[in-house]
Amino acid sequence: MNAGGGESDAPRAQLARRIAGEIALSEDPGATLRKWRTDFGVSQTALADSMGVSSSVVSDYESGRRESPGIGLVSRVVNALLDIDEGRGGGRIRQYARVVSAGFESDIVRDIREYPTALPTSRVYEALDATEIVAGDRDTVNGHTVINSIQAITSLSSEEFYRLYGQSTDRALVFTGVTRGESPLVALRVVTPTPNAVILHGLDEEALWDHAADLAKVDGFSLAVSTAPLEESLDELRRL
């Protein structure tokens, strides 16, 4: 399959350019390749099979044991990932199509970013001077979204709320203006899938809603709280 071929293929073509560009321009192309592969939920073996190479080739590029992949190999990687996604129903490509059509007011979304490579969730915690309450099932994130808690909950539809995930659900959602944490955590119960991590900004552990930790454990995401100055925290997040 190719990335062109008509208007219906536009989301695939746009996503292909996005992935290829990130890999080609990354200071660590192997890590960026690995980030996208894991974001698609594709094993090294499955990717290698789709490309017609051995899994050791994929492993060597991701680990840096081989020189940076050329544009030809990057194109093969991208098309293999997209072919696999389409074979599974195209969920990842449809998600990207929703993202590119989404738009939010600045009073709702303070910042939304994708990282060149997956980062440990602890890096986001450090940027926010956050305290972890619950450790989730996944300990890395591919990006972050900082949103005004009340504005998001009162003005966004469930579809718009899902778009807050950006290009990957494997991310950290930072809710600002939180007093107890009940509203954002209850709102997340109707969103599938859940993010990797949720940071509630504006309260400490003592002020946290009694059932917050239980909900985080049930849904498998990491939960943390932060009272660090917001603007300084945003600056630190943008440096990630």
Side-chain angles (χ1 to χ4, degrees):
M1 293 180 138
N2 56 52
E7 186 176 349
S8 63
D9 286 335
R12 173 179 170 132
Q14 291 170 354
L15 182 53
R17 287 193 293 271
R18 168 83 186 201
I19 299 171
E22 278 200 13
I23 295 174
L25 296 174
S26 175
E27 293 182 359
D28 189 344
T32 303
L33 189 159
R34 181 172 60 251
K35 182 202 80 166
W36 281 105
R37 177 181 60 75
T38 56
D39 190 49
F40 272 74
V42 175
S43 68
Q44 288 184 341
T45 300
L47 177 59
D49 287 346
S50 183
M51 293 173 62
V53 299
S54 69
S55 58
S56 63
V57 172
V58 175
S59 176
D60 285 349
Y61 276 115
E62 290 188 357
S63 65
R65 288 191 294 269
R66 289 185 181 229
E67 293 182 6
S68 297
I71 189 64
L73 184 81
V74 171
S75 178
R76 290 174 64 191
V77 167
V78 171
N79 279 294
L81 288 174
L82 296 173
D83 285 347
I84 292 171
D85 184 64
E86 287 185 334
R88 294 172 174 175
R92 189 70 178 78
I93 296 172
R94 286 197 303 274
Q95 181 186 340
Y96 182 82
R98 288 193 294 268
V99 171
V100 297
S101 65
F104 298 102
E105 298 296 330
S106 60
D107 61 343
I108 295 178
V109 178
R110 296 299 307 274
D111 196 46
I112 182 167
R113 293 175 186 269
E114 316 302 322
Y115 306 147
T117 61
L119 295 178
T121 307
S122 58
R123 290 281 301 279
V124 178
Y125 290 164
E126 290 170 7
L128 291 163
D129 194 20
T131 301
E132 186 174 71
I133 306 299
V134 173
D137 297 337
R138 297 157 291 180
D139 60 3
T140 62
V141 290
N142 290 341
H144 68 254
T145 305
V146 182
I147 50 181
N148 181 299
S149 176
I150 300 302
Q151 289 284 346
I153 293 166
T154 58
S155 64
L156 297 183
S157 67
S158 57
E159 171 68 13
E160 289 171 326
F161 196 91
Y162 184 69
R163 291 176 188 167
L164 294 171
Y165 282 144
Q167 292 170 23
S168 170
T169 56
D170 293 334
R171 69 196 302 104
L173 283 189
V174 183
F175 290 92
T176 68
V178 177
T179 54
R180 295 183 67 233
E182 180 176 359
S183 296
L185 292 178
V186 170
L188 280 175
R189 298 241 66 203
V190 300
V191 180
T192 303
T194 54
N196 287 16
V198 173
I199 298 96
L200 303 177
H201 184 274
L203 78 167
D204 57 22
E205 187 172 357
E206 291 184 359
L208 184 62
W209 180 43
D210 292 343
H211 301 291
D214 293 333
L215 286 188
K217 290 174 183 176
V218 168
D219 289 329
F221 58 79
S222 300
L223 177 65
V225 294
S226 169
T227 57
L230 181 58
E231 295 304 324
E232 293 178 14
S233 296
L234 287 172
D235 288 341
E236 291 297 323
L237 282 174
R238 289 164 184 150
R239 294 190 183 101
L240 292 177

